Amino acid sequence: MTSIERTLRADARRNREKIFAAARELFAREGELVQIEEIAAHAGVGIGTVYRHFPTKQALLTEMVRTRFSRFAEIAIECEEMEDPHEAVTCLFRRSAEEVEGDAGFQLAMMGSDQLHWEGIEQEKAAFAAPATRIIDRAVAAGAVREDLTFGDFPMLMCGITSTMYYSPGGAEWRRHLDLILAGLRPGS
Amino acid sequence: MTSIERTLRADARRNREKIFAAARELFAREGELVQIEEIAAHAGVGIGTVYRHFPTKQALLTEMVRTRFSRFAEIAIECEEMEDPHEAVTCLFRRSAEEVEGDAGFQLAMMGSDQLHWEGIEQEKAAFAAPATRIIDRAVAAGAVREDLTFGDFPMLMCGITSTMYYSPGGAEWRRHLDLILAGLRPGS
DNA sequence: ACCTGAACACCGTTCAAGT
DNA sequence: ACCTGAACACCGTTCAAGT
């Protein structure tokens, strides 16, 4: 709980949480198509209350992406514990992708994670980048992946996989995409 | 020139062309952010005239994507002429990607090329699919790429590469993405 | 036949009035 | 302090009036 949330009046904090939960559910289902009025209705508050807690629609969505994204650091840390350097890399890609599955809004966010759209989650990015970089560097050092692989490739490739999820929803087509990507990481290009 | 364009009054046809040219330029530069009013102003006509020629904004954009996309078939046919089966595949990916470069609107279209958004270009898709399928099947038969590669992988992978172009504009980062993809197509996964 | 732009609809955002 | 929803702004789309 942040200090802002701590100092909120009890009813205001409940409202904030209801708005957040509604937004999360609807954003996951409908992506950027969610309307503020719909979120407000679903949360049982007026639109003005939504704007009191989140200055813009974008700010609300960013806040949700932040919480979702923070899971990535945990995943990376878990993958890092794997013995085999190559399996750790595979784990990093696969589990990150699975985390995005089923949340259209989060997928959109991941597609543009380099972009201005999603400023404000720098801290979460850094918390993920540290273990993820170690995983990739270790695999490079062990000769388990192509020697020019860097952490910077991760968001780029993730963007591609996520695009497949978003534009070919429901199916498991993205797993095929992932497999081809992983094949491309093998050493000796 | 389609039969519809042929039967248009001379001034109407000129207007249609001006609208189309304006839309193409602005869509390439601004993507989906282009406003109809801006296109109309740039073409020197009223907004009503834009709607007379194209029933919706989406229809106008689809029409432009259609002309852009028709280049893909030509590219595929040229790539097919290459001696080396593997080089033909590389050519197909690289030149298709280059065709999309520098046109933000077209990139958006390619990202969702499987999707409803871009219905109405089936004919152009088929004209591209035929030579592209031959290129890929030939490379598979020659053992030049992984044996499970199919034409269906092309739009999926293109979607990924195009996402990198769109979300990391200007840079050549997408070429890195392409290189990793191509590496993933090598035989023996 | 075709063109025009005022008017309408929709949705993000603001703010005066209420508790 | 916080909540509410009518009102505003913006942009896609329509349609009555004009040539």
Side-chain angles (χ1 to χ4, degrees), chain A residues 9 15 46-49 52:
Chain A
R9 218 169 65 181
N15 276 340
I47 44 173
T49 306
R52 161 162 274 268

PDB file of all heavy atoms in Angstrom, chain A residues 9 15 46-49 52, chain D residues 1-7:
ATOM      1  N   ARG A   9      -9.312   8.528   3.074  1.00  0.00           N
ATOM      2  CA  ARG A   9     -10.452   8.250   3.934  1.00  0.00           C
ATOM      3  C   ARG A   9     -10.951   6.849   3.592  1.00  0.00           C
ATOM      4  O   ARG A   9     -10.861   6.422   2.449  1.00  0.00           O
ATOM      5  CB  ARG A   9     -11.561   9.288   3.647  1.00  0.00           C
ATOM      6  CG  ARG A   9     -12.316   9.740   4.875  1.00  0.00           C
ATOM      7  CD  ARG A   9     -13.179  10.932   4.584  1.00  0.00           C
ATOM      8  NE  ARG A   9     -14.248  10.643   3.647  1.00  0.00           N
ATOM      9  CZ  ARG A   9     -15.129  11.566   3.236  1.00  0.00           C
ATOM     10  NH1 ARG A   9     -15.029  12.831   3.637  1.00  0.00           N
ATOM     11  NH2 ARG A   9     -16.089  11.246   2.402  1.00  0.00           N
ATOM     12  N   ASN A  15     -13.533   2.917  -2.587  1.00  0.00           N
ATOM     13  CA  ASN A  15     -13.895   3.291  -3.957  1.00  0.00           C
ATOM     14  C   ASN A  15     -12.732   3.082  -4.917  1.00  0.00           C
ATOM     15  O   ASN A  15     -12.902   2.537  -6.001  1.00  0.00           O
ATOM     16  CB  ASN A  15     -14.347   4.755  -4.010  1.00  0.00           C
ATOM     17  CG  ASN A  15     -15.814   4.905  -3.642  1.00  0.00           C
ATOM     18  OD1 ASN A  15     -16.574   3.939  -3.699  1.00  0.00           O
ATOM     19  ND2 ASN A  15     -16.207   6.101  -3.250  1.00  0.00           N
ATOM     20  N   GLY A  46     -19.662   7.201  -9.509  1.00  0.00           N
ATOM     21  CA  GLY A  46     -19.829   8.152 -10.607  1.00  0.00           C
ATOM     22  C   GLY A  46     -18.521   8.328 -11.368  1.00  0.00           C
ATOM     23  O   GLY A  46     -17.443   8.019 -10.844  1.00  0.00           O
ATOM     24  N   ILE A  47     -18.618   8.818 -12.606  1.00  0.00           N
ATOM     25  CA  ILE A  47     -17.393   9.001 -13.391  1.00  0.00           C
ATOM     26  C   ILE A  47     -16.436   9.988 -12.727  1.00  0.00           C
ATOM     27  O   ILE A  47     -15.226   9.839 -12.808  1.00  0.00           O
ATOM     28  CB  ILE A  47     -17.694   9.486 -14.829  1.00  0.00           C
ATOM     29  CG1 ILE A  47     -18.757  10.590 -14.814  1.00  0.00           C
ATOM     30  CG2 ILE A  47     -18.129   8.342 -15.706  1.00  0.00           C
ATOM     31  CD1 ILE A  47     -18.972  11.224 -16.157  1.00  0.00           C
ATOM     32  N   GLY A  48     -17.020  10.982 -12.070  1.00  0.00           N
ATOM     33  CA  GLY A  48     -16.181  11.962 -11.391  1.00  0.00           C
ATOM     34  C   GLY A  48     -15.258  11.322 -10.364  1.00  0.00           C
ATOM     35  O   GLY A  48     -14.131  11.776 -10.158  1.00  0.00           O
ATOM     36  N   THR A  49     -15.750  10.276  -9.739  1.00  0.00           N
ATOM     37  CA  THR A  49     -14.940   9.588  -8.727  1.00  0.00           C
ATOM     38  C   THR A  49     -13.758   8.867  -9.361  1.00  0.00           C
ATOM     39  O   THR A  49     -12.652   8.822  -8.805  1.00  0.00           O
ATOM     40  CB  THR A  49     -15.815   8.586  -7.954  1.00  0.00           C
ATOM     41  OG1 THR A  49     -16.950   9.280  -7.447  1.00  0.00           O
ATOM     42  CG2 THR A  49     -15.045   7.972  -6.791  1.00  0.00           C
ATOM     43  N   ARG A  52     -11.305  11.471  -9.924  1.00  0.00           N
ATOM     44  CA  ARG A  52     -10.691  11.945  -8.673  1.00  0.00           C
ATOM     45  C   ARG A  52      -9.497  11.066  -8.314  1.00  0.00           C
ATOM     46  O   ARG A  52      -8.486  11.543  -7.813  1.00  0.00           O
ATOM     47  CB  ARG A  52     -11.751  11.910  -7.552  1.00  0.00           C
ATOM     48  CG  ARG A  52     -11.190  11.930  -6.149  1.00  0.00           C
ATOM     49  CD  ARG A  52     -12.228  12.337  -5.149  1.00  0.00           C
ATOM     50  NE  ARG A  52     -12.276  13.788  -5.043  1.00  0.00           N
ATOM     51  CZ  ARG A  52     -11.572  14.505  -4.167  1.00  0.00           C
ATOM     52  NH1 ARG A  52     -10.804  13.901  -3.288  1.00  0.00           N
ATOM     53  NH2 ARG A  52     -11.642  15.806  -4.136  1.00  0.00           N
TER      54      ARG A  52
ATOM     55  P    DA D   1      -8.761  18.472   4.367  1.00  0.00           P
ATOM     56  OP1  DA D   1      -9.584  19.501   3.935  1.00  0.00           O
ATOM     57  OP2  DA D   1      -7.475  18.378   4.808  1.00  0.00           O
ATOM     58  O5'  DA D   1      -9.177  17.006   3.893  1.00  0.00           O
ATOM     59  C5'  DA D   1     -10.207  16.924   2.995  1.00  0.00           C
ATOM     60  C4'  DA D   1     -10.731  15.497   2.993  1.00  0.00           C
ATOM     61  O4'  DA D   1     -12.142  15.604   3.153  1.00  0.00           O
ATOM     62  C3'  DA D   1     -10.455  14.878   1.657  1.00  0.00           C
ATOM     63  O3'  DA D   1     -10.365  13.462   1.816  1.00  0.00           O
ATOM     64  C2'  DA D   1     -11.698  15.286   0.849  1.00  0.00           C
ATOM     65  C1'  DA D   1     -12.782  15.411   1.901  1.00  0.00           C
ATOM     66  N9   DA D   1     -13.629  16.601   1.667  1.00  0.00           N
ATOM     67  C8   DA D   1     -13.228  17.888   1.458  1.00  0.00           C
ATOM     68  N7   DA D   1     -14.223  18.722   1.263  1.00  0.00           N
ATOM     69  C5   DA D   1     -15.356  17.929   1.353  1.00  0.00           C
ATOM     70  C6   DA D   1     -16.726  18.201   1.226  1.00  0.00           C
ATOM     71  N6   DA D   1     -17.204  19.420   0.989  1.00  0.00           N
ATOM     72  N1   DA D   1     -17.583  17.169   1.364  1.00  0.00           N
ATOM     73  C2   DA D   1     -17.092  15.949   1.627  1.00  0.00           C
ATOM     74  N3   DA D   1     -15.819  15.560   1.774  1.00  0.00           N
ATOM     75  C4   DA D   1     -15.001  16.608   1.604  1.00  0.00           C
ATOM     76  P    DC D   2     -10.000  12.592   0.471  1.00  0.00           P
ATOM     77  OP1  DC D   2      -9.486  11.286   0.935  1.00  0.00           O
ATOM     78  OP2  DC D   2      -9.237  13.435  -0.456  1.00  0.00           O
ATOM     79  O5'  DC D   2     -11.441  12.341  -0.141  1.00  0.00           O
ATOM     80  C5'  DC D   2     -12.423  11.677   0.646  1.00  0.00           C
ATOM     81  C4'  DC D   2     -13.751  11.753  -0.056  1.00  0.00           C
ATOM     82  O4'  DC D   2     -14.217  13.120  -0.083  1.00  0.00           O
ATOM     83  C3'  DC D   2     -13.741  11.295  -1.514  1.00  0.00           C
ATOM     84  O3'  DC D   2     -14.484  10.090  -1.598  1.00  0.00           O
ATOM     85  C2'  DC D   2     -14.387  12.433  -2.291  1.00  0.00           C
ATOM     86  C1'  DC D   2     -15.067  13.241  -1.195  1.00  0.00           C
ATOM     87  N1   DC D   2     -15.220  14.686  -1.494  1.00  0.00           N
ATOM     88  C2   DC D   2     -16.500  15.218  -1.627  1.00  0.00           C
ATOM     89  O2   DC D   2     -17.485  14.471  -1.498  1.00  0.00           O
ATOM     90  N3   DC D   2     -16.646  16.541  -1.905  1.00  0.00           N
ATOM     91  C4   DC D   2     -15.568  17.311  -2.035  1.00  0.00           C
ATOM     92  N4   DC D   2     -15.760  18.611  -2.303  1.00  0.00           N
ATOM     93  C5   DC D   2     -14.253  16.794  -1.900  1.00  0.00           C
ATOM     94  C6   DC D   2     -14.121  15.477  -1.630  1.00  0.00           C
ATOM     95  P    DC D   3     -14.778   9.433  -3.047  1.00  0.00           P
ATOM     96  OP1  DC D   3     -15.002   7.982  -2.844  1.00  0.00           O
ATOM     97  OP2  DC D   3     -13.789   9.919  -4.027  1.00  0.00           O
ATOM     98  O5'  DC D   3     -16.187  10.085  -3.391  1.00  0.00           O
ATOM     99  C5'  DC D   3     -17.316   9.730  -2.605  1.00  0.00           C
ATOM    100  C4'  DC D   3     -18.571  10.275  -3.247  1.00  0.00           C
ATOM    101  O4'  DC D   3     -18.464  11.718  -3.297  1.00  0.00           O
ATOM    102  C3'  DC D   3     -18.775   9.803  -4.685  1.00  0.00           C
ATOM    103  O3'  DC D   3     -20.070   9.238  -4.806  1.00  0.00           O
ATOM    104  C2'  DC D   3     -18.591  11.055  -5.534  1.00  0.00           C
ATOM    105  C1'  DC D   3     -18.910  12.178  -4.551  1.00  0.00           C
ATOM    106  N1   DC D   3     -18.194  13.444  -4.833  1.00  0.00           N
ATOM    107  C2   DC D   3     -18.910  14.592  -5.193  1.00  0.00           C
ATOM    108  O2   DC D   3     -20.146  14.522  -5.286  1.00  0.00           O
ATOM    109  N3   DC D   3     -18.244  15.745  -5.431  1.00  0.00           N
ATOM    110  C4   DC D   3     -16.910  15.783  -5.318  1.00  0.00           C
ATOM    111  N4   DC D   3     -16.284  16.949  -5.554  1.00  0.00           N
ATOM    112  C5   DC D   3     -16.158  14.634  -4.948  1.00  0.00           C
ATOM    113  C6   DC D   3     -16.819  13.489  -4.719  1.00  0.00           C
ATOM    114  P    DT D   4     -20.502   8.489  -6.144  1.00  0.00           P
ATOM    115  OP1  DT D   4     -21.456   7.431  -5.779  1.00  0.00           O
ATOM    116  OP2  DT D   4     -19.289   8.154  -6.889  1.00  0.00           O
ATOM    117  O5'  DT D   4     -21.265   9.632  -6.933  1.00  0.00           O
ATOM    118  C5'  DT D   4     -22.341  10.318  -6.302  1.00  0.00           C
ATOM    119  C4'  DT D   4     -22.863  11.393  -7.232  1.00  0.00           C
ATOM    120  O4'  DT D   4     -21.948  12.512  -7.216  1.00  0.00           O
ATOM    121  C3'  DT D   4     -22.991  10.946  -8.691  1.00  0.00           C
ATOM    122  O3'  DT D   4     -24.363  10.894  -9.034  1.00  0.00           O
ATOM    123  C2'  DT D   4     -22.219  12.003  -9.484  1.00  0.00           C
ATOM    124  C1'  DT D   4     -21.989  13.119  -8.485  1.00  0.00           C
ATOM    125  N1   DT D   4     -20.695  13.854  -8.617  1.00  0.00           N
ATOM    126  C2   DT D   4     -20.724  15.200  -8.874  1.00  0.00           C
ATOM    127  O2   DT D   4     -21.747  15.834  -9.014  1.00  0.00           O
ATOM    128  N3   DT D   4     -19.475  15.784  -8.965  1.00  0.00           N
ATOM    129  C4   DT D   4     -18.250  15.174  -8.823  1.00  0.00           C
ATOM    130  O4   DT D   4     -17.209  15.807  -8.910  1.00  0.00           O
ATOM    131  C5   DT D   4     -18.301  13.746  -8.555  1.00  0.00           C
ATOM    132  C7   DT D   4     -17.040  12.975  -8.384  1.00  0.00           C
ATOM    133  C6   DT D   4     -19.510  13.159  -8.467  1.00  0.00           C
ATOM    134  P    DG D   5     -24.848  10.037 -10.287  1.00  0.00           P
ATOM    135  OP1  DG D   5     -26.167   9.468  -9.911  1.00  0.00           O
ATOM    136  OP2  DG D   5     -23.768   9.155 -10.754  1.00  0.00           O
ATOM    137  O5'  DG D   5     -25.070  11.172 -11.392  1.00  0.00           O
ATOM    138  C5'  DG D   5     -25.814  12.349 -11.048  1.00  0.00           C
ATOM    139  C4'  DG D   5     -25.530  13.429 -12.076  1.00  0.00           C
ATOM    140  O4'  DG D   5     -24.174  13.907 -11.894  1.00  0.00           O
ATOM    141  C3'  DG D   5     -25.598  12.970 -13.537  1.00  0.00           C
ATOM    142  O3'  DG D   5     -25.989  14.078 -14.343  1.00  0.00           O
ATOM    143  C2'  DG D   5     -24.157  12.616 -13.834  1.00  0.00           C
ATOM    144  C1'  DG D   5     -23.488  13.775 -13.130  1.00  0.00           C
ATOM    145  N9   DG D   5     -22.075  13.594 -12.872  1.00  0.00           N
ATOM    146  C8   DG D   5     -21.374  12.417 -12.758  1.00  0.00           C
ATOM    147  N7   DG D   5     -20.103  12.597 -12.524  1.00  0.00           N
ATOM    148  C5   DG D   5     -19.950  13.968 -12.466  1.00  0.00           C
ATOM    149  C6   DG D   5     -18.808  14.772 -12.241  1.00  0.00           C
ATOM    150  O6   DG D   5     -17.659  14.395 -12.035  1.00  0.00           O
ATOM    151  N1   DG D   5     -19.088  16.141 -12.271  1.00  0.00           N
ATOM    152  C2   DG D   5     -20.339  16.663 -12.481  1.00  0.00           C
ATOM    153  N2   DG D   5     -20.433  17.986 -12.475  1.00  0.00           N
ATOM    154  N3   DG D   5     -21.425  15.922 -12.694  1.00  0.00           N
ATOM    155  C4   DG D   5     -21.158  14.595 -12.675  1.00  0.00           C
ATOM    156  P    DA D   6     -27.278  13.991 -15.238  1.00  0.00           P
ATOM    157  OP1  DA D   6     -28.435  13.627 -14.408  1.00  0.00           O
ATOM    158  OP2  DA D   6     -26.909  13.157 -16.406  1.00  0.00           O
ATOM    159  O5'  DA D   6     -27.423  15.501 -15.720  1.00  0.00           O
ATOM    160  C5'  DA D   6     -27.565  16.537 -14.764  1.00  0.00           C
ATOM    161  C4'  DA D   6     -26.759  17.756 -15.188  1.00  0.00           C
ATOM    162  O4'  DA D   6     -25.346  17.483 -15.003  1.00  0.00           O
ATOM    163  C3'  DA D   6     -26.931  18.151 -16.657  1.00  0.00           C
ATOM    164  O3'  DA D   6     -26.904  19.576 -16.749  1.00  0.00           O
ATOM    165  C2'  DA D   6     -25.721  17.501 -17.330  1.00  0.00           C
ATOM    166  C1'  DA D   6     -24.660  17.634 -16.243  1.00  0.00           C
ATOM    167  N9   DA D   6     -23.616  16.614 -16.269  1.00  0.00           N
ATOM    168  C8   DA D   6     -23.762  15.256 -16.436  1.00  0.00           C
ATOM    169  N7   DA D   6     -22.630  14.587 -16.398  1.00  0.00           N
ATOM    170  C5   DA D   6     -21.673  15.569 -16.177  1.00  0.00           C
ATOM    171  C6   DA D   6     -20.277  15.512 -16.036  1.00  0.00           C
ATOM    172  N6   DA D   6     -19.582  14.368 -16.077  1.00  0.00           N
ATOM    173  N1   DA D   6     -19.623  16.680 -15.839  1.00  0.00           N
ATOM    174  C2   DA D   6     -20.327  17.821 -15.792  1.00  0.00           C
ATOM    175  N3   DA D   6     -21.642  17.996 -15.906  1.00  0.00           N
ATOM    176  C4   DA D   6     -22.262  16.817 -16.100  1.00  0.00           C
ATOM    177  P    DA D   7     -26.997  20.314 -18.169  1.00  0.00           P
ATOM    178  OP1  DA D   7     -27.659  21.609 -17.895  1.00  0.00           O
ATOM    179  OP2  DA D   7     -27.575  19.370 -19.156  1.00  0.00           O
ATOM    180  O5'  DA D   7     -25.475  20.593 -18.575  1.00  0.00           O
ATOM    181  C5'  DA D   7     -24.687  21.454 -17.757  1.00  0.00           C
ATOM    182  C4'  DA D   7     -23.316  21.603 -18.372  1.00  0.00           C
ATOM    183  O4'  DA D   7     -22.561  20.374 -18.211  1.00  0.00           O
ATOM    184  C3'  DA D   7     -23.305  21.923 -19.874  1.00  0.00           C
ATOM    185  O3'  DA D   7     -22.355  22.936 -20.119  1.00  0.00           O
ATOM    186  C2'  DA D   7     -22.908  20.594 -20.508  1.00  0.00           C
ATOM    187  C1'  DA D   7     -21.965  20.030 -19.448  1.00  0.00           C
ATOM    188  N9   DA D   7     -21.803  18.580 -19.483  1.00  0.00           N
ATOM    189  C8   DA D   7     -22.776  17.625 -19.661  1.00  0.00           C
ATOM    190  N7   DA D   7     -22.320  16.390 -19.643  1.00  0.00           N
ATOM    191  C5   DA D   7     -20.953  16.541 -19.434  1.00  0.00           C
ATOM    192  C6   DA D   7     -19.909  15.612 -19.315  1.00  0.00           C
ATOM    193  N6   DA D   7     -20.085  14.292 -19.395  1.00  0.00           N
ATOM    194  N1   DA D   7     -18.660  16.100 -19.114  1.00  0.00           N
ATOM    195  C2   DA D   7     -18.492  17.428 -19.038  1.00  0.00           C
ATOM    196  N3   DA D   7     -19.402  18.399 -19.138  1.00  0.00           N
ATOM    197  C4   DA D   7     -20.622  17.878 -19.335  1.00  0.00           C
TER     198       DA D   7
END
